[in-house]
Amino acid sequence: MKEKILELIQQTHEKHKNAEEISDALGLDGAVQKEALLNALRELESEHKIIKNKKGNYVTLKEANLYVGNIQIKNKGFGFVTSSELPLDVYVAKEDTKGAFNGDTVLVKVQPKVKQDAKDSAKVIEIIKRNLDVVVGEVILHKEQYYLKNDDPIADVVFAINALNGAIVEHKVQAKVVEFQSDKKILVD
């Protein structure tokens, strides 16, 4: 069913459709079929194939200027997103990275060009998949809490240590990421 829905949404880009209109276009009737449709729409959204716009209509990501890609963060904090759907890499300003790390898979919204000769720019809307599993740094103690001072100066993030596992202050350690608590705080073990 997902393939049929996606095909319908791609064909009707001039007239966006809500769930009821998609149901009618596919000839669905009955509560079971309509529930299956809603489940399929949710799956397509979670797979980042379609998005529900503010009017409640489903559109492809491309129609909404949204793209999935990988971000490369540079030393000054800005980045570039590469995507098979885009002809060129897209610039992302430091304040628009939403805490993404180098190599993260992200959903970006490409901004309309302000000037005709300007480069495309984008803003991270969602971090789909983190590319950070381990962190290397020095164990520090601050206000009775242990932290990891990251060796990577790009990451402007606090790494709170969950368990020392035998490490002591001023030791260089490799820690496993346990939880992304926010854009600025990560729990490591």
Side-chain angles (χ1 to χ4, degrees), residues 138-142 145-149 161 168-170:
E138 181 182 330
V139 177
I140 59 173
L141 179 63
H142 181 70
Q145 170 68 48
Y146 291 100
Y147 296 96
L148 188 71
K149 182 179 176 188
I161 297 176
I168 59 174
V169 174
E170 296 182 0

Side-chain angles (χ1 to χ4, degrees), residues 24-159:
D24 292 344
L26 294 175
L28 303 178
D29 60 355
V32 173
Q33 286 186 329
K34 290 185 180 185
E35 185 61 34
L37 170 67
L38 293 175
N39 287 336
L41 287 168
R42 281 190 287 272
E43 285 178 30
L44 286 167
E45 282 185 283
S46 70
E47 293 168 3
H48 298 92
K49 305 256 189 210
I50 62 171
I51 190 164
K52 189 175 183 179
N53 67 19
K54 292 176 184 174
K55 294 180 180 178
N57 296 323
Y58 292 93
V59 298
T60 63
L61 294 183
K62 190 173 185 176
E63 286 180 84
N65 278 343
L66 295 169
Y67 298 90
V68 174
N70 292 322
I71 192 164
Q72 276 67 51
I73 302 292
K74 301 301 180 185
N75 287 341
K76 293 186 179 179
F78 63 88
F80 292 92
V81 172
T82 56
S83 171
S84 61
E85 299 289 319
L86 292 167
L88 298 170
D89 293 355
V90 182
Y91 171 79
V92 180
K94 182 178 182 177
E95 60 273 10
D96 293 332
T97 61
K98 200 173 183 177
F101 290 108
N102 197 42
D104 284 353
T105 302
V106 295
L107 177 67
V108 295
K109 180 161 185 76
V110 175
Q111 308 296 329
K113 293 180 184 180
V114 179
K115 298 178 183 174
Q116 188 174 9
D117 60 344
K119 303 275 189 233
D120 284 338
S121 66
K123 180 177 184 175
V124 174
I125 303 300
E126 178 186 346
I127 298 168
I128 296 171
K129 183 178 182 296
R130 290 287 191 177
N131 187 40
L132 186 66
D133 297 324
V134 295
V135 181
V136 176
E138 181 182 330
V139 177
I140 59 173
L141 179 63
H142 181 70
K143 295 184 181 178
E144 299 182 25
Q145 170 68 48
Y146 291 100
Y147 296 96
L148 188 71
K149 182 179 176 188
N150 185 12
D151 283 353
D152 184 356
I154 296 172
D156 182 24
V157 175
V158 173
F159 294 94

